[in-house]
Amino acid sequence: MLKQFFLLLIIIVPFKIMAQSSVSGTIYDYDNRTFPLQSVKVRNLSNSQVVLTKAAGQFTLPAKVGDLVEFSSVGYHTDTLFLINLEPKIIFLPGNSTTLREVEIVSAKVNSSILERDPLAKSPTRLATDGLRGKGNNDRAGGLLFNLGYGKYKRQQEKIRLLEERDRYQAEINSIFTEEYVSDLVKLKGDDLRNFMSLYRPPEELVKSERPFNYAYYTVKSYHAWLKLSPEERRISSMPKLKAN
């Protein structure tokens, strides 16, 4: 009977060992070896089985001898392990050096030299004095600056501009609307020519509004209007003579 029991034990134990098909273990932080890592992804690259570590860093993963197991977590280097046996494992994952960790600044010292004036810098100058001649950049200007004469000055400048513009147009009319130019177009001579040019001298506003002004068209058109006038209307009345004192 005893001999049969040992024979049965010898047969069952190898099958039980062969039936073991998982590996377990605990994962800790490499720098703080007493700190277990939770939610680490443990993946068997040979059979694609995946589990996550529990709060105490423990895991149990289906595996067999010869499988390759991967350990990965955010902020840590990914590590792999080749299973030469299925005994419980203790894994230490090193932190990723590229991950920025929280830094508390207790105090800071500012270099006083950065607040000093640059010895090579030029002294500041006032670009526009606004009438404050003799005052420096740091002097107090004070009060309001009233330009009471600006409106009068502006009106004067506008009058000068209008006079200059009028002179330009009058000079243009005088240089083009001459006796030679008009006589060549309408064939008038003597007093008739002078009277016609006095009656139909091109108005400045008309020359200004129609640029470029067509002097030939205007002259011929005016001549047809002049032909409709009576002989009395064509004559320019002479200026009355002033009596001498």
Side-chain angles (χ1 to χ4, degrees):
M1 182 70 182
L2 185 60
K3 185 178 180 180
Q4 292 177 349
F5 175 77
F6 281 110
L7 182 60
L8 181 62
L9 185 63
I10 293 173
I11 296 174
I12 293 176
V13 170
F15 279 100
K16 185 176 181 181
I17 295 175
M18 292 177 63
Q20 185 179 359
S21 59
S22 64
V23 64
S24 61
T26 307
I27 303 178
Y28 296 93
D29 183 276
Y30 181 84
D31 294 326
N32 186 358
R33 293 178 176 252
T34 60
F35 181 72
L37 297 181
Q38 184 181 5
S39 299
V40 175
K41 183 186 290 185
V42 183
R43 180 180 182 182
N44 189 331
L45 299 178
S46 300
N47 60 18
S48 301
Q49 296 291 324
V50 179
V51 296
L52 296 178
T53 57
K54 300 179 180 179
Q58 298 174 345
F59 70 92
T60 299
L61 177 70
K64 65 181 185 298
V65 174
D67 287 351
L68 188 64
V69 180
E70 180 185 77
F71 308 92
S72 62
S73 180
V74 177
Y76 291 86
H77 281 288
T78 300
D79 201 358
T80 56
L81 176 65
F82 180 76
L83 297 178
I84 60 175
N85 57 59
L86 299 180
E87 297 178 359
K89 310 297 181 185
I90 297 179
I91 308 298
F92 299 97
L93 278 185
N96 193 339
S97 59
T98 61
T99 303
L100 297 179
R101 297 190 178 183
E102 182 180 358
V103 178
E104 180 181 359
I105 300 177
V106 179
S107 63
K109 183 178 181 180
V110 179
N111 189 348
S112 60
S113 62
I114 65 175
L115 301 178
E116 295 180 358
R117 185 175 179 273
D118 186 355
L120 300 179
K122 295 182 179 180
S123 300
T125 57
R126 183 185 295 274
L127 297 179
T129 60
D130 295 331
L132 303 176
R133 294 182 178 85
K135 288 185 174 293
N137 284 334
N138 296 325
D139 293 341
R140 180 178 178 182
L144 299 176
L145 181 63
F146 293 96
N147 292 321
L148 299 178
Y150 179 72
K152 182 178 180 181
Y153 171 78
K154 186 177 181 180
R155 290 192 295 270
Q156 290 176 347
Q157 294 299 314
E158 181 64 17
K159 289 182 179 179
I160 294 174
R161 186 189 67 81
L162 293 176
L163 290 174
E164 292 177 349
E165 184 180 76
R166 180 180 180 184
D167 290 341
R168 288 197 303 271
Y169 286 115
Q170 290 297 333
E172 178 185 306
I173 296 171
N174 292 335
S175 64
I176 297 177
F177 197 74
T178 62
E179 290 186 1
E180 293 79 10
Y181 180 82
V182 176
S183 178
D184 186 60
L185 289 173
V186 299
K187 308 305 180 182
L188 292 176
K189 305 291 183 182
D191 291 339
D192 288 340
L193 177 60
R194 286 186 287 272
N195 289 337
F196 173 79
M197 293 181 63
S198 297
L199 285 173
Y200 292 100
R201 177 181 172 85
E204 177 189 334
E205 292 300 324
L206 182 61
V207 174
K208 180 180 178 180
S209 62
E210 299 180 5
R211 305 301 296 173
F213 187 71
N214 191 336
Y215 285 91
Y217 173 77
Y218 171 80
T219 302
V220 174
K221 182 179 179 181
S222 300
Y223 176 70
H224 287 288
W226 185 79
L227 292 176
K228 296 179 182 180
L229 299 178
S230 65
E232 291 77 14
E233 292 174 332
R234 295 177 184 178
R235 288 194 294 267
I236 300 298
S237 59
S238 59
M239 295 289 294
K241 294 183 179 180
L242 299 177
K243 295 182 179 180
N245 293 331

